[in-house]
Structure formats: C-alpha cells, structure tokens
C-alpha cells in the first residue's frame, strides 16, 4: 500500500490535530489585555513511539506545523517556549545529538516555509525577502551548515542579483516582470 498521512505507521497528522484541538495556539485567548502583547509560556511535549528514532523528524514536522512564526492579527500573540522530548517505548529519552539537531533543523525549515507562505506581499516584498534569505544564509554559514559553533562554513553562500544584472545574467523573465 502507498503510505499517506492517514495510514502512515506513525500517523503524524494525529500529533498536529491533537495539539490544535487541545488549543496549543489558542492559549493567547486567555489574556485579558486588549493591546498587542506577547505572552511567554512554556509548553512541554512528550512524544513516545516504539520506533521513535525512525519517526523523530516526522514528529518534529507535525509539531512545527502547529507553531506558526507569522500571525497578522492584532490579538495578543502566543510566543511559546516549546520543549519537545522524544521517548522510546520504554520511556527512555532519545539522546542522539545528531537526531536532535536534524529534527530541529527540519522543524525550523517547516516554520520558516509556512511564514513565507503566510506573509502578504505588502510585508514580504523583494527587499524583505532578500533580507530574510541573507539572514538564513548567514546563520547557516556560521552555525549550522556543517561546522561547529562559530566555525565558518563556505558551503552556504548568498548572492543577490538585482537590476540590470538580472538581464545580463540571463534572467530576462524576472527582469521583465520587475520592470512592469
């Protein structure tokens, strides 16, 4: 059988559905303030599975989907400190740094992708998008792209092509849309 979200042995959608249905993102409604504020709360999530090392990134993605980085509403926002602990069937926590690092990177990527998709063009204009890309490239080149902390990684680079350089570089379609 073909694996889908409904017959996946781990059922990642059930994690997302459970977090949403239990109001993880609605905790901001408990604030009585009418001004825009940020409420810091800690949420502890425990994920237990007999094959958790195989499903850890899947679980991280399911959790990340419920924690959007972008919210355009003026209501008080819930800015959670989320701690996720992954356990095997015996209840022992997964201690592999590589698995934790990978799960964190995947979750951050999912959240950033959702943010980019959720932002309206008025906020995510070309200059803002370029600045975000520059920030991501810089953070990867100095911390997570393969080297240790504060170690430079030359694998991740960023180059912004603008104006006439687009046309000269063979990006005529993008250049033409930008000129319209």
């Amino acid at each position: 059988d073909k694996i889908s979200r409904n017959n996946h042995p781990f059922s990642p959608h059930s994690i997302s559905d459970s977090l949403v249905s239990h109001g993880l993102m609605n905790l901001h409604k408990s604030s009585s303030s009418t001004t825009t504020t940020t409420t810091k709360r800690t949420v502890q999530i425990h994920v237990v599975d007999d094959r958790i090392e195989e499903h850890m990134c899947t679980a991280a993605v399911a959790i990340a989907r419920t924690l959007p980085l972008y919210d355009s509403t003026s209501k008080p926002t819930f800015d959670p400190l989320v701690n996720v602990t992954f356990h095997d069937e015996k209840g022992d926590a997964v201690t592999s740094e590589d698995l934790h690092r990978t799960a964190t990177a995947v979750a951050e990527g999912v959240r950033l992708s959702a943010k980019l998709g959720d932002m309206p063009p008025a906020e995510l204009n070309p200059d803002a998008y370029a600045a975000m890309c520059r920030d991501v490239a810089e953070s990867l080149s100095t911390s997570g792209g393969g080297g240790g902390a504060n170690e430079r990684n030359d694998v991740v680079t960023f180059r912004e092509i603008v104006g006439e350089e687009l046309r000269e570089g063979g990006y005529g379609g993008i250049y033409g849309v930008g000129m319209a």
Side-chain angles (χ1 to χ4, degrees), residues 3-180:
I3 298 260
S4 73
R5 72 181 193 107
N6 295 316
N7 72 356
H8 187 281
F10 188 69
S11 299
H13 68 285
S14 64
I15 294 174
S16 301
D17 293 348
S18 177
L19 292 172
V20 170
S21 68
H22 286 91
L24 176 62
M25 291 312 298
N26 294 326
L27 292 176
H28 66 272
K29 292 181 180 176
S30 65
S31 172
S32 60
S33 172
T34 57
T35 60
T36 300
T37 59
T38 300
T39 304
K40 277 282 190 193
R41 298 210 177 116
T42 301
V43 176
Q44 179 66 49
I45 300 171
H46 294 274
V47 180
V48 181
D49 186 61
D50 60 344
R51 296 183 351 215
I52 193 62
E53 292 190 2
E54 292 175 40
H55 300 143
M56 199 161 148
C57 285
T58 304
V61 167
I63 294 166
R65 289 181 51 222
T66 66
L67 300 166
L69 291 172
Y70 180 79
D71 184 359
S72 66
T73 61
S74 60
K75 66 186 174 215
T77 58
F78 174 51
D79 186 17
L81 171 60
V82 178
N83 295 313
V84 180
T85 307
F86 299 97
H87 302 273
D88 63 18
E89 72 280 0
K90 296 175 188 170
D92 296 330
V94 174
T95 58
S96 168
E97 288 297 321
D98 286 341
L99 282 174
H100 282 279
R101 194 172 20 260
T102 301
T104 299
V106 169
E108 288 174 355
V110 165
R111 293 182 76 206
L112 178 59
S113 296
K115 177 182 180 177
L116 293 172
D118 291 343
M119 291 180 76
E123 291 182 42
L124 187 62
N125 57 49
D127 292 333
Y129 183 64
M132 289 178 80
C133 291
R134 194 175 305 111
D135 291 345
V136 168
E138 181 62 28
S139 72
L140 289 172
S141 69
T142 58
S143 64
N150 300 321
E151 185 177 316
R152 191 89 185 144
N153 176 0
D154 293 329
V155 174
V156 178
T157 61
F158 174 81
R159 179 172 172 232
E160 185 176 0
I161 303 171
V162 295
E164 291 297 320
E165 193 178 354
L166 283 168
R167 187 176 52 75
E168 294 164 4
Y171 300 101
I174 296 173
Y175 176 79
V177 169
M179 298 304 291

